[in-house]
Amino acid sequence: MPRNDYAILMGISHYADPGFPPLEGPPRDVARFHQWLIDPQGGDVDPQQIITIVSPTPPPNVAPDQTPPTFVDFQTKFKQLVTGGGSNIQYHSESRLYLYFSGHGFCEYQNAMPHAAIYAANASRWAHYNIAGTLFALWAKEAAVFGEIVLVMDCCRDAEATKTLSPTFLPAIANLGPAGHVKMFCVYAAPKGGKAQERPIPELNNQVHSLLTHALLDAFRHAPPDEKGKVTGQIIKGYLEDSWPGVCGKIPADPPEVYIPPNGDITFFRQPSARLSQKIHLTAWLAGSPVEIYDQHNQLFASLTLPETNAATVILNWADQTSEPVPISDGTLNIPLPAGFYRISLAAGAKQQLFQAGGADVEL
Amino acid sequence: MSNSKLPVTVEVADFASQIEILDGVFRVVARGFGQIRTELKPGLYKARTQVGTALQEKMFAINEGVTTAPVVLDPVLFASAAPLQGTSTSHEYHQHAVAIAVDNAEPPLILGSGSSLLLSLRDPGRAPLEQTKQSRASYARGFDGCSLCAADGSELINYDQAATRDINLGFAIRNAELDPGHYILKVEQVGLKPVALPVVTVPGWASQIFIQVEEGPSGAATHHPALAEATLMMVPLGQPFHPGDRYFRLTEVARQALQRGRNIFDRQLLDELLDSKFGNPVLGLFAAHLLLLDPQPQLKLLRIVLDNLDAMLGFDFPDLIALRRRMQQLDPPTSPAGIIQDPLVFPPLLRASWDILAAQAMMDDDLMPAGSVSRQIADRLCDNGIWLAWQPRPLEMSATQGWKMLSDDELLSKKGPDRERILSVFEQAEKYLNLDSNLGLLQVAKTLTKPVVREKLRQFIRSAAASENLPLEQLGELVLRLAKNYPWEKLLRKLNELDVDDAISERLSAVQRTILPALLLFRQQLAADQDVSADDWKQLFASLKVPRAVLLDNLGELARLAAGLEVRQAEDNMTGLNIVLANADHSKTRVLQNLRAATGLGRKEAEELVAGAPLTIRDDVSKVRAEAEVLRTLLD
């Protein structure tokens, strides 16, 4: 049964103050995140329950301090979501709330709590109007409106000694008891003081996107399940951190920070993750030799027998007795594998190597 | 598959960075520093070590019935401002330059005795080798602008003249013998904001500051010192420079960890450091702050670290004052005699130390004594990585043209309530118009706008000047008055406008920049009939972290800023108004009489006003009235 989840996605690409250069990524990244949310294989969220707030295109001709989206634009939608337009909070304790923010951002230097805010589009050097995503998520947690909260702050976290988070201006929560059960999973694009980056992504026709959203969606798609078949927050965190250097390529970027709920992890999926393409280049092609691939537990995962060199495919036999053809080209096998660590063995262990699926080509 | 675990050792070759071991679903199953001895289930794993963005990783297998060979990771080549061995930014010629300076092969500057300070500026990139005849002079300016000052600001060393330079190899360096004490390192370069950093030299210790010179932001041609990434080492006086010193490397790893806000040191490493009493006390300072990053700091370890540092650096070392006060909060002394109340006369080296003290300064008036460097800089801090830094010159608003501020004395000494006078002008305006006065009324009103605003400001300053250490509640009331009294939305728009030419933003203190958006938000709350609660301004004060006297000064400055902007705004709004008067009597004497009667101005002042008043004579009296009404609105 699909979950009854909710989301607010905010992407700010144009700012009134020229001190904030325009961004290309936020509207595209909001669109990508939205796409993942409504995908039954992804977030599986009802599109009617997703609120999207992005910079209008072209930017409207208004006074700089009225440039949308503003703090009020977000706060109004948020209040509407948690009250259903009425005066009382409507509780969705079995649901998850996704809060996604993309734009220029910062965090408070003195504040030790993990946090970030994005600048509202009408921010200036004087009026640091901002939307502190963390504070809204924390309010939703304290109010126990939702059972789970997933916060994504895809913005810089310049540690500002001279700027403060805007309060939420939401009613104080008197009874914090139920908040203890609410799980909050947070992803920040950079560590405190670090920079988020957007850049052309080769896999996306060199369109400019944010690195974090790209890597996070990749993690959602590929992170492997644990022994119980669950892709948990901890696994998403581990996969994201591990894949980060590869996502950045030759130009390093500050790594994301992920916070797992201290009161118990959340589960993103209970379905097999998408597979990664792994190239295995055999320096000496020994037709008839067995090739075996072992998984992270050192258990046989897949096997094949090398055909003649002119074959275009070979049958790969999985450990669960199923099989499928995989292509061969120029002595290179192209094998789809779930993310994880593997050992490949040629000719009963005469040659073997450890590798990570989706990583560098294996030379055997 | 067996569930029995098997032993494995994972280490990084130089034993000087954090290691993590990941299982097949990317969960961290073990973590440690330098070397991990652990037990793992049979399976495939990955070990990785990282410093900054530099990374080393290696996969390994644990097989049942097989002894796993130690997994050894290569050292991580990270960047450092110091020319340390095993970093990605090391050059032998830079190491040689430091060795010559430290070993006194080149005589140091003698300005005292008992401690020393080495300043090294170097560019480890390719830029020094790529300069042409044309570009070299411009490039060399990246090494300029450093000076060492006494705590009172007087210059002691101008490194532009004193440093040994080789721009072709990209370095400037000089060692100096100094009396132990407090100094300020200033860096002032054209096109960059001037920055000051604290320097504390200690008897028997040599301080070594390494600063990397790097290319300016995105395509800027000039180079500049990267102060936020600076490295500080302290070694016993007279000790030669050892670029391979393990403590140097550990200090750099710890600095980067502190920058990331993550404690990477484990118990084993700290024990080792404690045994050897920190070859570099700066490592001890970092270790103490890293310990404090833990949700539940190991207080016993922290106390040992502090005791060791006390012995090395002295009880009055500013960072130690901060750390001991924090320790006192975490582990309160059992008797009043044990309570530490040392004042902070000079700022600490680390921003984290400052934050400990600043959080207490709001409630402890003696912590940063009046006249101390700490008090003076409390509202001038600027972002500089883990190191404390501030803008060296006081912020001077009064120098701005066009909306000159009045001093407190000037405001407080004024006798009559100007507001009353100006309002009386408008009360009589209709009468004047009916009398066909040709007074340059609007121009007069424009001039008198300033006294109106001035009166508003005077009242604010009076209420604030009662005591420098007002209770927090009264400070909260002042903030709310400041929010209510001035139309900040309009004023900040004006400020943005003026900033283009006047660069006012550069003159606002960090405290003022923080308060300004809060004032706007408080006004919005008040406009929406929502109360601004004590929690709101308490939250604001908590984020400011300055002594109350400094906060009060800043509130006064903001009131003055608002007053100046309000005058400027009123003047600009009136620029487009025609001074239109009804059918008139052009007698100058009559005009002056009317003006003085209405305003109480002196003869000379009234003559100046009338002389400058543009006049247009029209019969349309109702329009004139309307314009006067516009002015009244502006002034109210």
Side-chain angles (χ1 to χ4, degrees):
Chain A
M1 194 175 113
R3 297 171 56 100
N4 185 28
D5 293 340
Y6 296 81
I8 305 182
L9 316 180
M10 187 170 206
I12 302 182
S13 50
H14 291 91
Y15 294 78
D17 192 310
F20 298 106
L23 297 168
E24 289 184 58
R28 293 177 186 152
D29 294 325
V30 163
R32 281 191 80 196
F33 203 84
H34 185 277
Q35 198 61 38
W36 175 80
L37 279 177
I38 62 173
D39 183 352
Q41 302 299 309
D44 197 16
V45 180
D46 179 351
Q48 301 296 317
Q49 295 183 171
I50 301 174
I51 296 166
T52 301
I53 307 167
V54 293
S55 296
T57 308
N61 188 17
V62 294
D65 60 343
Q66 304 296 318
T67 305
T70 64
F71 170 85
V72 175
D73 292 334
F74 176 80
Q75 201 231 24
T76 306
K77 298 281 188 190
F78 185 89
K79 273 169 94 171
Q80 202 172 352
L81 177 66
V82 297
T83 61
S87 54
N88 295 322
I89 294 174
Q90 290 187 352
Y91 294 94
H92 310 273
S93 53
E94 299 300 315
S95 300
R96 176 182 295 167
L97 171 67
Y98 291 93
L99 288 175
Y100 173 92
F101 297 88
S102 175
H104 289 295
F106 73 100
C107 65
E108 292 176 344
Y109 189 94
Q110 308 93 328
N111 194 339
M113 172 186 80
H115 71 280
I118 61 166
Y119 291 103
N122 59 343
S124 71
R125 281 159 292 179
W126 308 108
H128 309 134
Y129 290 116
N130 61 81
I131 300 135
T134 308
L135 295 187
F136 280 94
L138 281 173
W139 183 90
K141 176 176 165 57
E142 288 180 359
V145 188
F146 302 91
E148 292 177 351
I149 298 161
V150 173
L151 172 69
V152 181
M153 297 297 301
D154 194 351
C155 61
C156 289
R157 290 177 76 199
D158 295 349
E160 299 283 3
T162 57
K163 295 175 185 173
T164 51
L165 305 180
S166 296
T168 58
F169 295 114
L170 295 166
I173 305 301
N175 177 16
L176 295 177
H181 302 291
V182 179
K183 296 174 180 176
M184 189 164 133
F185 175 86
C186 304
V187 184
Y188 295 96
K192 183 176 176 181
K195 293 277 185 196
Q197 286 196 22
E198 61 171 27
R199 28 168 112 151
I201 305 288
E203 305 93 286
L204 301 171
N205 298 323
N206 277 322
Q207 260 194 346
V208 172
H209 286 266
S210 123
L211 278 183
L212 174 75
T213 299
H214 181 61
L216 183 63
L217 293 176
D218 178 64
F220 284 155
R221 190 157 175 253
H222 291 118
D226 64 10
E227 305 77 17
K228 296 173 184 167
K230 296 178 184 174
V231 177
T232 61
Q234 185 70 52
I235 290 176
I236 293 292
K237 172 183 161 74
Y239 185 91
L240 185 60
E241 289 174 352
D242 189 73
S243 64
W244 189 251
V247 171
C248 297
K250 289 179 182 170
I251 307 167
D254 289 325
E257 267 191 359
V258 183
Y259 293 90
I260 308 299
N263 53 345
D265 208 344
I266 65 173
T267 299
F268 280 95
F269 307 104
R270 288 174 184 276
Q271 61 212 21
S273 53
R275 294 182 295 181
L276 294 158
S277 172
Q278 178 62 50
K279 285 186 178 169
I280 295 167
H281 180 65
L282 299 173
T283 50
W285 193 272
L286 302 170
S289 294
V291 175
E292 293 171 329
I293 296 173
Y294 294 83
D295 68 7
Q296 54 165 316
H297 305 299
N298 247 339
Q299 303 293 305
L300 183 65
F301 189 67
S303 62
L304 58 86
T305 302
L306 288 178
E308 296 302 322
T309 49
N310 58 356
T313 61
V314 61
I315 297 299
L316 183 70
N317 301 302
W318 299 104
D320 65 3
Q321 309 299 318
T322 59
S323 59
E324 67 180 270
V326 295
I328 305 172
S329 172
D330 295 332
T332 300
L333 300 163
N334 201 338
I335 299 179
L337 290 168
F341 305 149
Y342 297 90
R343 177 166 62 89
I344 186 166
S345 167
L346 177 63
K351 281 185 173 182
Q352 53 183 335
Q353 190 173 324
L354 304 180
F355 68 96
Q356 181 172 344
D361 294 355
V362 175
E363 296 278 337
L364 198 63
Chain B
M1 185 181 72
S2 168
N3 271 332
S4 59
K5 292 185 173 179
L6 300 166
V8 62
T9 300
V10 178
E11 62 194 35
V12 62
D14 61 356
F15 294 95
S17 49
Q18 193 188 35
I19 303 169
E20 289 178 331
I21 301 176
L22 277 68
D23 72 6
V25 289
F26 304 98
R27 290 174 301 203
V28 175
V29 292
R31 185 179 276 132
F33 195 95
Q35 185 186 62
I36 301 176
R37 291 173 192 273
T38 188
E39 293 188 335
L40 299 170
K41 288 180 188 173
L44 305 182
Y45 297 88
K46 179 154 86 172
R48 70 178 175 207
T49 180
Q50 192 164 10
V51 180
T53 55
L55 176 77
Q56 289 285 351
E57 57 184 31
K58 188 177 273 187
M59 289 183 63
F60 64 95
I62 303 285
N63 295 309
E64 216 164 338
V66 178
T67 303
T68 308
V71 179
V72 182
L73 293 158
D74 292 336
V76 183
L77 289 174
F78 59 86
S80 171
L84 305 182
Q85 273 176 16
T87 60
S88 61
T89 48
S90 185
H91 296 300
E92 280 184 10
Y93 48 84
H94 285 163
Q95 292 172 357
H96 183 62
V98 175
I100 286 178
V102 168
D103 301 345
N104 294 342
E106 178 182 0
L109 295 168
I110 307 292
L111 298 170
S113 62
S115 67
S116 71
L117 173 69
L118 173 89
L119 179 70
S120 158
L121 291 150
R122 71 183 194 102
D123 181 350
R126 293 197 54 78
L129 313 173
E130 291 169 348
Q131 298 305 315
T132 61
K133 275 184 183 174
Q134 290 74 29
S135 66
R136 188 161 288 118
S138 166
Y139 170 71
R141 285 197 285 275
F143 295 78
D144 287 350
C146 293
S147 61
L148 187 74
C149 302
D152 64 6
S154 55
E155 186 175 283
L156 300 174
I157 304 174
N158 181 334
Y159 287 100
D160 292 355
Q161 278 115 45
T164 303
R165 290 171 163 233
D166 188 336
I167 297 304
N168 292 329
L169 293 179
F171 72 83
I173 193 165
R174 193 67 200 255
N175 199 15
E177 289 185 8
L178 298 167
D179 292 330
H182 300 151
Y183 301 91
I184 296 170
L185 178 66
K186 288 185 186 171
V187 181
E188 299 178 274
Q189 285 192 346
V190 176
L192 291 175
K193 288 180 188 172
V195 176
L197 295 94
V199 174
V200 182
T201 64
V202 178
W205 289 90
S207 297
Q208 300 171 345
I209 299 175
F210 297 92
I211 300 172
Q212 188 165 318
V213 173
E214 64 180 23
E215 197 172 351
S218 61
T222 53
H223 284 63
H224 66 93
L227 297 175
E229 301 290 335
T231 296
L232 170 67
M233 304 291 179
M234 289 178 79
V235 295
L237 206 56
Q239 178 177 298
F241 178 62
H242 295 300
D245 186 316
R246 178 162 185 258
Y247 291 110
F248 282 3
R249 188 173 176 86
L250 280 175
T251 304
E252 276 300 80
V253 172
R255 180 181 67 79
Q256 302 208 27
L258 193 58
Q259 201 152 18
R260 298 273 177 200
R262 287 180 177 177
N263 183 18
I264 52 165
F265 285 2
D266 60 10
R267 175 74 196 230
Q268 187 185 340
L269 177 72
L270 282 167
D271 283 344
E272 183 199 335
L273 291 176
L274 294 171
D275 286 346
S276 56
K277 302 220 183 271
F278 307 124
N280 176 0
V282 179
L283 177 57
L285 292 176
F286 289 163
H289 279 291
L290 288 171
L291 279 172
L292 286 172
L293 289 175
D294 289 339
Q296 291 182 321
Q298 301 174 57
L299 296 182
K300 194 177 165 192
L301 264 182
L302 182 60
R303 192 174 292 284
I304 298 172
V305 172
L306 295 187
D307 288 347
N308 279 346
L309 287 171
D310 276 347
M312 286 187 281
L313 299 177
F315 209 63
D316 57 351
F317 196 87
D319 293 83
L320 284 177
I321 292 175
L323 287 163
R324 276 200 308 272
R325 281 191 172 238
R326 182 70 186 126
M327 182 77 199
Q328 189 168 271
Q329 283 180 326
L330 296 168
D331 186 16
T334 48
S335 73
I339 295 174
I340 296 159
Q341 292 177 313
D342 306 300
L344 184 78
V345 293
F346 194 77
L349 309 182
L350 292 169
R351 178 64 194 238
S353 302
W354 173 270
D355 286 340
I356 291 172
L357 296 162
Q360 300 178 18
M362 189 72 83
M363 295 312 301
D364 183 348
D365 299 324
D366 299 324
L367 178 56
M368 297 182 189
S372 67
V373 178
S374 304
R375 171 79 73 91
Q376 288 165 18
I377 64 140
D379 61 350
R380 282 191 266 146
L381 303 186
C382 49
D383 294 336
N384 190 44
I386 63 163
W387 304 109
L388 185 71
W390 63 87
Q391 291 173 282
R393 279 189 292 277
L395 307 148
E396 291 173 358
M397 274 295 175
S398 56
T400 307
Q401 290 182 346
W403 46 291
K404 189 181 174 209
M405 300 294 176
L406 297 170
S407 70
D408 287 2
D409 287 346
E410 207 176 345
L411 284 162
L412 292 169
S413 68
K414 195 76 181 175
K415 290 176 190 169
D418 291 325
R419 183 176 174 76
E420 296 305 316
R421 290 199 298 160
I422 186 67
L423 290 178
S424 75
V425 170
F426 286 103
E427 282 164 11
Q428 295 180 56
E430 202 165 335
K431 184 178 88 178
Y432 274 80
L433 295 167
N434 286 339
L435 288 172
D436 294 338
S437 166
N438 67 348
L439 191 66
L441 186 60
L442 299 184
Q443 179 62 26
V444 170
K446 173 179 165 181
T447 309
L448 290 180
T449 303
K450 288 180 184 174
V452 170
V453 176
R454 191 184 303 169
E455 177 58 20
K456 211 194 291 188
L457 176 59
R458 179 160 50 233
Q459 287 177 9
F460 185 87
I461 298 273
R462 269 193 193 129
S463 59
S467 159
E468 74 160 14
N469 292 321
L470 290 176
L472 284 184
E473 288 69 22
Q474 284 189 37
L475 283 169
E477 282 171 23
L478 275 179
V479 168
L480 292 187
R481 282 189 58 192
L482 196 55
K484 283 178 195 166
N485 272 4
Y486 294 100
W488 287 102
E489 300 83 353
K490 290 180 187 171
L491 297 185
L492 291 186
R493 273 179 222 169
K494 177 56 67 182
L495 194 53
N496 271 327
E497 201 179 290
L498 296 174
D499 197 40
V500 176
D501 296 325
D502 287 350
I504 301 163
S505 56
E506 305 300 324
R507 276 168 280 192
L508 281 184
S509 74
V511 171
Q512 290 158 12
R513 284 167 182 247
T514 305
I515 294 174
L516 272 176
L519 293 176
L520 283 169
L521 288 165
F522 290 167
R523 278 184 72 82
Q524 286 172 4
Q525 273 176 270
L526 294 168
D529 285 334
Q530 294 170 351
D531 284 340
V532 176
S533 69
D535 282 348
D536 289 336
W537 53 256
K538 279 180 184 168
Q539 203 178 355
L540 172 67
F541 291 169
S543 67
L544 295 173
K545 293 187 175 176
V546 289
R548 282 177 287 173
V550 174
L551 171 59
L552 193 61
D553 286 348
N554 278 272
L555 292 177
E557 284 299 310
L558 281 176
R560 246 193 292 276
L561 170 70
L565 288 169
E566 209 172 10
V567 168
R568 179 63 185 261
Q569 175 150 358
E571 288 177 354
D572 289 356
N573 286 349
M574 278 181 262
T575 306
L577 289 176
N578 287 321
I579 300 175
V580 182
L581 294 176
N583 188 16
D585 176 351
H586 290 261
S587 159
K588 186 178 176 185
T589 309
R590 175 79 181 278
V591 170
L592 288 175
Q593 282 173 351
N594 286 339
L595 176 60
R596 293 187 62 195
T599 63
L601 287 174
R603 181 177 183 82
K604 192 179 172 193
E605 199 176 352
E607 278 179 345
E608 283 173 3
L609 288 174
V610 171
L615 303 176
T616 302
I617 316 298
R618 287 176 60 175
D619 293 330
D620 185 359
V621 173
S622 64
K623 180 171 174 56
V624 176
R625 283 180 187 157
E627 289 186 355
E629 200 58 41
V630 169
L631 271 176
R632 187 201 296 270
T633 309
L634 283 170
L635 292 169
D636 283 345

